[in-house]
Amino acid sequence: MSFALASGCDAVGERAGVCTPESKGEFNGGGVDVSAGYDQVGGGGSASDGSANDEGAGGSADEDAGDSAAGGDAGAGAGNAPAGPDPIIRDGWTVNCIPNSPCDPNFVVRISDLVNFVPEQPTTTMEPEGWAVVGLPVNLVAEASAHTRSGMLLGYEAQVRFTPVRFEWDYGDGTQRSTSTGGATWADLGLPEFSETPTSHVFDSRGTWTVSVTVEYAADYRFADEPWQRIGGTLAVSSTPLTAVSLDARTVLVGGDCVSAPGGPGC
């Protein structure tokens, strides 16, 4: 949650009651980040009766200006504010912030910090299912989409959003391929079977192959309802491998089909 008051006011105008100094703040799990329009460090003194005075420096209000100035100088150095985290100076303002917390300007989240966040494992399918014809494309489809996880990030409640950015294919026959998409079925693409697609592959010989895909996810994080921030690097998650059997296709005259009678002529 953030807030802001009027701007364009200096100390003289504020004391005269004609304006209100600019003040901005941000609340988060690590503390409160506040900056004032003209004072880098606020006072903390109190009047002799226990109530805060209007002089702003923490001194007591006396009947003459000299005593007021002296009281202000004394109070500025010995305020009654409770002890808290050491302030961090940023861009000329004093920030009351716990070091190494989300409000700390030096707070950095790395991809290795996402130990409590596990992306979804991609799934892989192929067309035709489980087999291929030597010399013809087999269509491979990886299912992976953007999704969000919630949990503890460096000790604070956070959300992490994973977005697939690259698909690394290993066809098991010694060839690999990188694509920016997980692909789609022939029907979804409006293509006939054995058509080439952005994720198809051709096996050049008979064999049994282990096909897998590794999805690289980019990651963004945020604390509370703050804007998303990108984390450098990617996380790689592999799918469960598929087994593909590639066979030759030829036209022969047979007395039945080779599935029910694999020992028949021509099979």
Side-chain angles (χ1 to χ4, degrees), residues 79-97:
N80 296 326
D86 293 335
I88 297 173
I89 306 302
R90 179 178 63 188
D91 298 332
W93 308 113
T94 296
V95 179
N96 293 319
C97 176

Side-chain angles (χ1 to χ4, degrees), residues 1 26-33 85 96-104 107 152-158 222-226:
M1 180 175 67
E26 180 179 284
F27 295 88
N28 52 44
V32 182
D33 181 344
N96 293 319
C97 176
I98 299 174
N100 296 319
S101 70
C103 65
D104 186 341
F107 188 78
M152 299 298 294
L153 177 58
L154 297 175
Y156 299 92
E157 288 282 350
R222 68 179 179 183
F223 296 98
D225 293 324
E226 295 299 311

Side-chain angles (χ1 to χ4, degrees), residues 96-178:
N96 293 319
C97 176
I98 299 174
N100 296 319
S101 70
C103 65
D104 186 341
N106 298 317
F107 188 78
V108 177
V109 177
R110 297 178 174 84
I111 204 74
S112 58
D113 296 323
L114 303 182
V115 292
N116 295 326
F117 300 85
V118 181
E120 294 178 355
Q121 184 182 37
T123 60
T124 311
T125 57
M126 62 178 292
E127 299 175 307
E129 184 177 355
W131 62 277
V133 176
V134 173
L136 294 178
V138 59
N139 190 33
L140 296 157
V141 181
E143 294 286 345
S145 59
H147 57 283
T148 301
R149 303 289 202 193
S150 298
M152 299 298 294
L153 177 58
L154 297 175
Y156 299 92
E157 288 282 350
Q159 288 182 306
V160 175
R161 180 177 61 195
F162 296 103
T163 304
V165 294
R166 188 163 49 253
F167 298 78
E168 300 289 344
W169 299 90
D170 187 334
Y171 301 109
D173 60 352
T175 60
Q176 293 84 33
R177 185 181 187 182
S178 178

